[in-house]
Amino acid sequence: MSDRMPSVKLLRNVSMSPLNSTGLHSLNIQNESDDASSPLKLFKQAKHSMNQVYHDFDSVISEINAFFESAELKSSDVISYPEIQKIQSFKDKCEGLIKMISRDRMKCVFFGRTSNGKSSTINAMLHQKILPIGIGHTTNCFLQVEGSDLSEHDACFYIPGCDQPKKIKNLLNLGSALSKEKLDSSCLVRVLWPKEKCRLLKEDVVLVDSPGIDVSIDLDAWIDQNCLDADVFVLVVNAESTLTKTEKDFFHKVSEKLTQPNIFILNNRWDATAYEPETAEIVRDQHIERDKEFLCNELKVCDKNQANSRIYFVSAREVLLTRTQSNPQLPPGYQNRLLQFEWFEEEFEKCISMSAVKTKFDQPAQRGKQMASTLSTTLENCHQRAIQKKTLFENNLKNLIKKIQQTEQKLQDFTQDMKDKIHDVMEDVEKNIILILNEEIKRIHILIDEYEKPFHPDEEQLNWYKKELHEFVERKLRNKLSNRLNSALINSLNLTQEHIRKQVLELVESEENRKQVANIMPREDFFINYRIDCSNLCADFKEDISFHFSLGFTALMRRFSGNSELKNGTSHFFANSAMNIFKSDQTQTQSNLNTFQNNNHSDHLLILLQGFNLIANKSNVMLLAIGGIVWRGLGWKILAVTGGLYALCYLYERLMWTRKTQERVFKQQYADYASSKLKLIVGLTGQNAASQVQQELKMYLTQMFRYIDITKEDYFKEQKRYESDIKLLNQVLEESKLLKNKGRYLFNDFDKFIQEYLIIGENKQPIS
């Protein structure tokens, strides 16, 4: 037997477990690594520690990048572009290292010829039959067993090129070389098994089963795809034979691509010696000699003392039966072979843990330490430049604020001055228009007389005549106002606009904007639209050009009663004659009788005229009554003479009532009516014209104000830029101290990790 046998302590740890899921008792073997001080925990502790440091580093780099990216935009002198690039590269490197460390697990790959017991060994270490085992070539491809948080019921596996998980019960068929469904021998099938079912998986150990190395010639592809990141290799050989050239050649290839790989040799099927005990020790010594020769002299991966802990004689089948069944029928001496397997597991854990810590964390720790040092130096340089930049910006901001205040005061004075100026111009325009329009209204009779379109009393032609007359009067009034006012008004407008331009030039700073202001000229096509809408103003004008006798009853009544309309011409005089004459017969008769009685002889002529009027307008009965009254009062001679004279007057006026007379009366009526209506809109016309002038000046002023606003916007943008830069620099100054300290802490953390896990890690015990 071995010169280094398992301790008595291990023998005591063999016990029987309660009933398992199959209703049978299974052998529960607890070894030293089940304790909190398991060597596997060293890797997990180192991984956790390195992950924590790099996550802190990533957080600090993110903060620094956020500040420095803003600093580059607002104040390019705070940090140089190469420094930014370097820090950004730290971010990418850090993220890559975090992913690598998070993925890093202790990986062990099992190799050997077909049917040497590789799958059985892994199943024994997992305490359950998971991988396909049997007689002949059973493993068809690479099977990687890794821990997961899934339950045993949900355990699954993934095949290459498929994202859909497959039930674990199908693995025995798919992963087996005896299955009809074939996979390429270099394919890697990921098997996810519950962590709580196996302590190795719980401690981030990955076990990889492989096809027999004697069934494929493409061994280089196997190594490149599945072996370069392995921490430990386990060569499972058949103890009933010896190391073959195929097995040696394969590990020579591994040794060429990896520096001093960690290799264990398991001489499996050692249970065969139970039936030949007399030759067991001889065969064992022969295997040890050849295995040491291979490891120490050919591969040169360890010395002879170290080789003692790399060579084991086991029976994976017995271990699997012991760990999965109750009271299995095993050949004599199985306890020693079982303990030999546990010894292998113990040494395997120590080796893979220390190897993984060194190979996976040495380079990230050294790189992190170097990046933390560079980070601290960069932050210190940035801090000094930020102080200088802040002082410059504060002085510039102070001067700019003073300039903005001066500009605001000038703008307020200019605005008030423009309001007063525009108000004065409007008052002047309104006053002149009212004055001149009133003068033109007084002369409107003359203006209307200038209208020479042919006149005809026919209603249809008369409507056309009025329409043309409306347009004529409107056009003439506008022309007269324009001729008398426009020249002075435009001159006043130009002077005001020139004053505006000069004031604005004093407020605009940019040379380009000053040129544009100087080139803005007043509109040459501006004119005032005098809104004199005679068509609407005189729309309700009703002319009266029918003949009315001037000595008629109604006309005389109005004259004697002091009616002022008589003075306005015949048509006005007779405007309401129909209403006065056609009253009821009874009322009119009574009125005449009362008049005669009240005035008696002094009003004989008036009574006579009333009688004649009634003769012309009333019924025969009324005429006879009136005639009787006149006859009795004056006598027939006076009545005859008066009637003759009255008839002559009527005849004269009737003969003189020609079309020319009608046109003159029409124009007189229209002139009086239009004059009264135009007087109503004199003030409104003045206000309207003043508003047009105001609008023109405001438009011009708005154009000018646009450049003042541009100047103000430039000032405010510059002010905001300074304030933003100062704020940014304050943040940089405030944060740089904190970030510098964080950089130093990170440097110390990396150095502490190196000292704790890499330099003195071999003597370090896992934290319980």
Side-chain angles (χ1 to χ4, degrees):
M1 296 298 291
S2 171
D3 55 349
R4 183 179 176 185
M5 293 300 295
S7 65
V8 179
K9 177 182 178 181
L10 292 177
L11 291 172
R12 297 194 194 103
N13 289 333
V14 180
S15 63
M16 300 300 293
S17 70
L19 288 173
N20 60 18
S21 60
T22 63
L24 300 175
H25 290 282
S26 60
L27 187 63
N28 183 19
I29 300 177
Q30 297 177 335
N31 58 28
E32 204 172 347
S33 58
D34 284 328
D35 299 333
S37 60
S38 168
L40 294 176
K41 291 189 176 295
L42 179 64
F43 176 83
K44 201 167 186 179
Q45 291 168 4
K47 179 179 178 179
H48 176 76
S49 178
M50 180 59 68
N51 253 323
Q52 186 63 46
V53 175
Y54 262 105
H55 274 99
D56 293 342
F57 192 27
D58 182 68
S59 177
V60 172
I61 292 175
S62 297
E63 294 178 39
I64 295 173
N65 272 336
F67 277 104
F68 283 179
E69 285 173 4
S70 297
E72 181 193 16
L73 297 173
K74 299 296 182 179
S75 51
S76 58
D77 293 337
V78 171
I79 183 170
S80 65
Y81 184 69
E83 289 174 318
I84 292 176
Q85 280 188 315
K86 181 176 287 187
I87 292 176
Q88 288 176 342
S89 69
F90 287 173
K91 176 69 174 176
D92 297 336
K93 292 176 182 178
C94 183
E95 291 175 351
L97 288 169
I98 289 175
K99 291 179 181 178
M100 184 187 73
I101 294 169
S102 299
R103 290 195 305 266
D104 278 343
R105 290 171 292 188
M106 294 175 281
K107 183 175 180 179
C108 175
V109 184
F110 291 76
F111 282 102
R113 291 187 299 120
T114 303
S115 297
N116 277 7
K118 301 181 295 299
S119 301
S120 297
T121 303
I122 295 176
N123 286 336
M125 297 176 74
L126 296 175
H127 292 244
Q128 191 159 351
K129 183 180 177 182
I130 301 174
L131 303 181
I133 58 176
I135 301 173
H137 180 202
T138 54
T139 303
N140 186 42
C141 59
F142 282 85
L143 301 176
Q144 177 174 296
V145 183
E146 54 189 83
S148 73
D149 295 324
L150 299 173
S151 65
E152 185 174 0
H153 178 267
D154 296 327
C156 61
F157 66 94
Y158 290 88
I159 63 175
C162 180
D163 295 332
Q164 294 297 325
K166 298 182 180 295
K167 291 292 184 181
I168 199 70
K169 63 182 181 180
N170 298 324
L171 179 63
L172 297 178
N173 294 325
L174 184 65
S176 174
L178 302 177
S179 174
K180 294 181 179 179
E181 186 176 354
K182 300 296 183 180
L183 293 176
D184 186 81
S185 62
S186 62
C187 289
L188 179 68
V189 176
R190 295 176 57 236
V191 180
L192 304 184
W193 188 250
K195 291 180 179 179
E196 67 272 8
K197 293 294 181 180
C198 180
R199 185 177 48 79
L200 291 176
L201 301 182
K202 189 176 182 180
E203 300 297 341
D204 287 340
V205 177
V206 174
L207 304 177
V208 181
D209 193 7
S210 65
I213 58 177
D214 53 342
V215 299
S216 175
I217 60 173
D218 195 10
L219 300 180
D220 289 324
W222 285 14
I223 297 171
D224 292 338
Q225 295 177 19
N226 301 303
C227 302
L228 294 181
D229 59 342
D231 298 294
V232 172
F233 293 87
V234 177
L235 172 59
V236 182
V237 300
N238 188 351
E240 296 182 71
S241 63
T242 186
L243 280 173
T244 65
K245 186 176 184 301
T246 302
E247 292 167 328
K248 290 184 177 182
D249 289 344
F250 175 80
F251 277 96
H252 277 294
K253 291 180 179 293
V254 171
S255 183
E256 289 175 1
K257 297 192 176 186
L258 297 176
T259 303
Q260 289 190 328
N262 296 299
I263 301 174
F264 285 83
I265 298 178
L266 289 185
N267 294 280
N268 194 24
R269 297 188 179 179
W270 191 244
D271 54 330
T273 61
Y275 304 102
E276 298 180 4
E278 65 280 359
T279 60
E281 286 296 326
I282 298 174
V283 174
R284 181 178 178 278
D285 292 340
Q286 184 184 52
H287 282 312
I288 291 175
E289 182 181 355
R290 291 180 180 179
D291 292 344
K292 285 185 176 181
E293 175 68 20
F294 176 61
L295 293 176
C296 302
N297 299 332
E298 294 185 33
L299 296 181
K300 297 180 180 180
V301 295
C302 62
D303 57 31
K304 291 190 183 234
N305 290 330
Q306 292 173 335
N308 290 328
S309 61
R310 300 293 180 92
I311 303 169
Y312 300 92
F313 295 85
V314 300
S315 174
R317 185 184 65 84
E318 287 182 346
V319 176
L320 180 60
L321 290 174
T322 303
R323 294 180 175 181
T324 58
Q325 297 182 14
S326 174
N327 299 323
Q329 297 298 321
L330 300 175
Y334 77 90
Q335 292 92 346
N336 288 333
R337 291 187 292 274
L338 177 61
L339 295 178
Q340 182 87 180
F341 191 88
E342 289 185 347
W343 185 27
F344 154 70
E345 288 180 317
E346 180 181 354
E347 293 299 325
F348 164 79
E349 290 177 9
K350 291 179 182 179
C351 178
I352 195 171
S353 179
M354 289 305 303
S355 174
V357 168
K358 288 184 178 181
T359 57
K360 289 180 168 54
F361 301 139
D362 181 56
Q363 185 178 6
Q366 296 294 345
R367 292 175 67 183
K369 184 177 179 181
Q370 183 180 4
M371 288 190 293
S373 175
T374 304
L375 194 63
S376 298
T377 303
T378 303
L379 287 168
E380 179 61 34
N381 295 336
C382 174
H383 184 80
Q384 295 302 322
R385 288 195 292 265
I387 292 176
Q388 299 173 0
K389 198 73 174 178
K390 179 187 173 185
T391 303
L392 176 63
F393 286 168
E394 285 177 341
N395 292 334
N396 292 343
L397 179 61
K398 183 178 179 180
N399 296 332
L400 181 62
I401 291 175
K402 184 177 180 181
K403 184 185 291 185
I404 291 174
Q405 292 173 347
Q406 293 174 349
T407 303
E408 287 287 353
Q409 185 59 47
K410 289 181 180 179
L411 183 59
Q412 290 179 5
D413 297 341
F414 171 65
T415 303
Q416 187 60 45
D417 180 48
M418 287 301 99
K419 287 182 179 179
D420 297 340
K421 190 74 174 176
I422 292 174
H423 182 266
D424 294 342
V425 172
M426 288 177 62
E427 283 188 344
D428 187 53
V429 170
E430 184 177 355
K431 178 181 177 182
N432 290 335
I433 288 177
I434 291 174
L435 177 64
I436 293 175
L437 186 56
N438 279 325
E439 292 178 1
E440 294 299 329
I441 291 173
K442 291 178 182 179
R443 295 196 290 268
I444 196 169
H445 298 83
I446 300 173
L447 186 146
I448 293 175
D449 287 341
E450 295 176 1
Y451 184 68
E452 296 179 351
K453 295 289 183 179
F455 179 83
H456 197 282
D458 180 68
E459 182 177 357
E460 183 176 350
Q461 296 190 27
L462 188 61
N463 288 335
W464 176 83
Y465 184 86
K466 284 193 291 183
K467 179 181 177 182
E468 293 289 328
L469 182 58
H470 292 331
E471 296 175 357
F472 175 80
V473 172
E474 184 178 335
R475 184 171 61 255
K476 283 292 185 180
L477 284 176
R478 282 203 301 262
N479 291 340
K480 288 182 177 293
L481 289 174
S482 297
N483 293 336
R484 297 182 63 180
L485 289 172
N486 276 12
S487 178
L489 191 148
I490 296 298
N491 185 48
S492 174
L493 198 62
N494 289 339
L495 290 175
T496 305
Q497 290 170 334
E498 180 63 26
H499 176 71
I500 292 173
R501 185 163 55 250
K502 289 181 179 179
Q503 293 292 325
V504 171
L505 284 172
E506 294 179 1
L507 296 174
V508 175
E509 186 175 88
S510 169
E511 189 62 31
E512 180 180 355
N513 290 337
R514 288 176 62 85
K515 289 180 180 179
Q516 293 182 356
V517 169
N519 292 331
I520 296 178
M521 303 304 294
R523 286 198 305 161
E524 296 181 357
D525 58 346
F526 173 73
F527 66 94
I528 295 180
N529 183 15
Y530 301 99
R531 298 177 183 176
I532 304 173
D533 192 358
C534 288
S535 297
N536 289 326
L537 285 174
C538 301
D540 56 349
F541 167 67
K542 300 295 183 182
E543 72 283 350
D544 185 5
I545 56 174
S546 60
F547 175 74
H548 296 285
F549 185 38
S550 62
L551 295 177
F553 172 73
T554 304
L556 291 176
M557 284 296 293
R558 291 185 177 180
R559 182 174 297 177
F560 283 109
S561 64
N563 195 325
S564 60
E565 289 185 1
L566 185 63
K567 301 176 183 180
N568 295 330
T570 303
S571 59
H572 282 281
F573 180 78
F574 290 109
N576 299 316
S577 60
M579 185 182 296
N580 296 326
I581 293 175
F582 294 104
K583 292 181 180 178
S584 66
D585 296 340
Q586 186 178 3
T587 304
Q588 185 65 41
T589 303
Q590 185 65 38
S591 176
N592 290 334
L593 289 173
N594 291 339
T595 302
F596 178 77
Q597 292 173 0
N598 292 334
N599 296 294
N600 202 1
H601 298 289
S602 61
D603 296 329
H604 288 171
L605 182 59
L606 179 59
I607 294 172
L608 181 62
L609 293 174
Q610 289 176 342
F612 277 104
N613 188 60
L614 290 174
I615 290 173
N617 296 284
K618 300 296 181 175
S619 64
N620 293 332
V621 177
M622 198 57 131
L623 289 173
L624 290 175
I626 300 289
I629 294 172
V630 174
W631 181 275
R632 290 179 61 186
L634 298 177
W636 67 272
K637 291 183 179 180
I638 296 176
L639 181 61
V641 173
T642 303
L645 292 173
Y646 189 83
L648 287 173
C649 290
Y650 177 83
L651 181 61
Y652 174 78
E653 288 189 11
R654 190 69 183 85
L655 292 174
M656 294 300 295
W657 189 252
T658 63
R659 186 175 295 178
K660 191 68 176 177
T661 305
Q662 289 175 329
E663 182 181 6
R664 185 173 63 253
V665 171
F666 176 87
K667 288 183 176 181
Q668 180 64 37
Q669 292 175 4
Y670 184 84
D672 293 341
Y673 187 85
S675 177
S676 64
K677 290 292 185 179
L678 288 171
K679 287 179 181 178
L680 298 177
I681 66 166
V682 169
L684 183 62
T685 303
Q687 293 174 5
N688 180 267
S691 297
Q692 293 180 54
V693 173
Q694 181 190 34
Q695 184 68 22
E696 179 66 17
L697 289 174
K698 282 187 175 180
M699 288 176 58
Y700 187 79
L701 193 59
T702 301
Q703 285 181 296
M704 294 299 183
F705 271 176
R706 185 165 67 90
Y707 294 98
I708 297 177
D709 292 339
I710 291 174
T711 301
K712 288 172 61 180
E713 287 176 3
D714 292 341
Y715 286 156
F716 289 134
K717 285 180 182 178
E718 189 175 2
Q719 180 182 359
K720 288 182 179 179
R721 187 169 64 250
Y722 281 133
E723 291 173 349
S724 176
D725 289 345
I726 291 173
K727 181 180 179 181
L728 175 65
L729 291 171
N730 282 331
Q731 291 175 346
V732 172
L733 289 171
E734 291 173 3
E735 293 294 328
S736 60
K737 291 183 180 180
L738 176 63
L739 294 174
K740 279 193 301 181
N741 291 335
K742 287 183 178 181
R744 293 193 184 99
Y745 294 151
L746 289 171
F747 180 86
N748 294 334
D749 287 343
F750 282 118
D751 189 63
K752 181 180 178 181
F753 180 89
I754 293 170
Q755 295 294 328
E756 186 173 357
Y757 289 100
L758 301 179
I759 295 179
I760 59 175
E762 293 186 4
N763 299 322
K764 176 180 174 61
Q765 293 297 324
I767 299 174
S768 60

